[in-house]
Amino acid sequence: MDKYGLIGYPLGHSFSISYFNQKFADEGIDAVYENFEIASIDLLPEVLDMNPNLKGLNVTIPYKQKVMQFLDNISPEARAIGAVNVIKVKHEGKNIKLTGYNSDVIGFTKSIEPMLERFHKKALILGTGGASKAIDYGLKSLGLETVFVSRYERPDTIQFEKITPEVVQEYNVIVNCTPLGMYPHTDECPLLPYEAMDNRTILYDLIYNPDETLFMKRGAAKGANVKNGLEMLLLQAFASWEFWHEK
């Protein structure tokens, strides 16, 4: 039986394990998906040794960057972003070849692209954590100019308090890559001039619990087009499966 899994620490309830095991059951695939909660990325070789039927892994926090040192090959997108969240495990005799990919970009671009109109030329990326780099890469690949927004003074970023109504009208695609508004803190949202938004504004939230964050609600009240991160998550899972089965 083939095995797939998720490495990270800590691992609570993960979307991947329920999604893939349901997929295997529905499609009659002789495989299982497991969580590998490892306290250090240095335990990855041990996971590989103990699971000789492992064909692929997903990677989550805090190992998306640290895992790269263990890989034999890294896709151009993952290298440019500086993070890997999918690994193909290939057995060649006694040797194991590991190839890293980033499915965040595919999931995000396929999800946001249908929302874009010709007047969407500039985007604000809220947050500077791991996911924000993939979002930046994805938006640029769709032809948008991007600016990172941070709470702190950092090179090539602007601060939340400096975002004026004029900035929101110029940068009319806004992607939330922060945890603000995630359950159970549903009464929080990024500090923005929501009153400047209208039906030319897109608010995309990587959060999918709750279905509609306060960020989305406040934008929608002004006519903005809003979307959460659930479809991106599903598209990432599809992409993982494609990467694992690439010839």
Side-chain angles (χ1 to χ4, degrees):
M1 181 189 282
D2 289 344
K3 190 181 281 189
Y4 302 87
L6 174 69
I7 56 168
Y9 188 85
L11 293 177
H13 171 77
S14 87
F15 167 84
S16 300
I17 193 167
S18 46
Y19 170 81
F20 280 109
N21 283 322
Q22 188 65 53
K23 175 185 172 70
F24 299 154
D26 291 347
E27 299 180 24
I29 297 167
D30 188 24
V32 65
Y33 191 102
E34 291 182 9
N35 282 349
F36 299 104
E37 189 173 72
I38 52 176
S40 163
I41 193 60
D42 296 326
L43 296 171
L44 176 61
E46 195 177 306
V47 170
L48 295 167
D49 287 345
M50 292 176 69
N51 297 278
N53 51 344
L54 197 60
K55 294 288 193 290
L57 288 166
N58 290 117
V59 185
T60 189
I61 294 166
Y63 301 136
K64 288 186 182 186
Q65 289 162 315
K66 294 175 184 169
V67 78
M68 294 172 82
Q69 63 189 308
F70 291 90
L71 306 179
D72 300 290
N73 301 296
I74 299 171
S75 75
E77 291 93 346
R79 196 175 289 287
I81 293 157
V84 160
N85 69 341
V86 181
I87 299 171
K88 180 178 181 175
V89 181
K90 195 172 182 186
H91 299 266
E92 297 178 349
K94 290 189 176 176
N95 296 326
I96 298 175
K97 281 273 172 23
L98 303 178
T99 305
Y101 305 90
N102 190 300
S103 65
D104 287 338
V105 178
I106 296 170
F108 173 69
T109 51
K110 283 189 174 174
S111 181
I112 198 169
E113 192 170 20
M115 302 175 76
L116 298 173
E117 306 275 359
R118 66 186 183 284
F119 49 77
H120 293 123
K121 295 185 168 64
K122 297 183 179 182
L124 296 177
I125 300 170
L126 312 183
T128 54
S132 66
K133 294 178 184 64
I135 300 310
D136 181 49
Y137 187 96
L139 288 167
K140 283 177 174 163
S141 76
L142 293 169
L144 278 77
E145 281 181 45
T146 60
V147 172
F148 287 101
V149 185
S150 172
R151 285 177 296 171
Y152 312 106
E153 292 278 350
R154 286 192 173 137
D156 305 318
T157 64
I158 63 172
Q159 284 63 57
F160 278 97
E161 62 267 22
K162 292 181 183 165
I163 297 178
T164 62
E166 292 74 26
V167 170
V168 162
Q169 290 187 329
E170 185 181 355
Y171 289 81
N172 54 6
V173 177
I174 305 175
V175 184
N176 180 35
C177 302
T178 78
L180 282 170
M182 187 187 291
Y183 181 84
H185 304 290
T186 54
D187 57 345
E188 295 177 359
C189 68
L191 182 69
L192 296 169
Y194 292 90
E195 69 279 2
M197 297 174 185
D198 57 28
N199 62 4
R200 293 164 77 94
T201 312
I202 291 174
L203 295 191
Y204 192 107
D205 203 329
L206 298 197
I207 294 168
Y208 52 90
N209 183 13
D211 289 341
E212 190 180 36
T213 58
L214 186 56
F215 167 73
M216 292 166 64
K217 277 182 186 157
R218 292 187 66 181
K222 299 295 178 186
N225 295 305
V226 301
K227 194 171 201 175
N228 70 18
L230 186 60
E231 184 186 47
M232 174 178 165
L233 205 62
L234 283 166
L235 290 165
Q236 281 175 294
F238 297 160
S240 296
W241 188 251
E242 295 291 316
F243 286 139
W244 292 333
H245 294 88
E246 255 185 4
K247 290 290 181 262

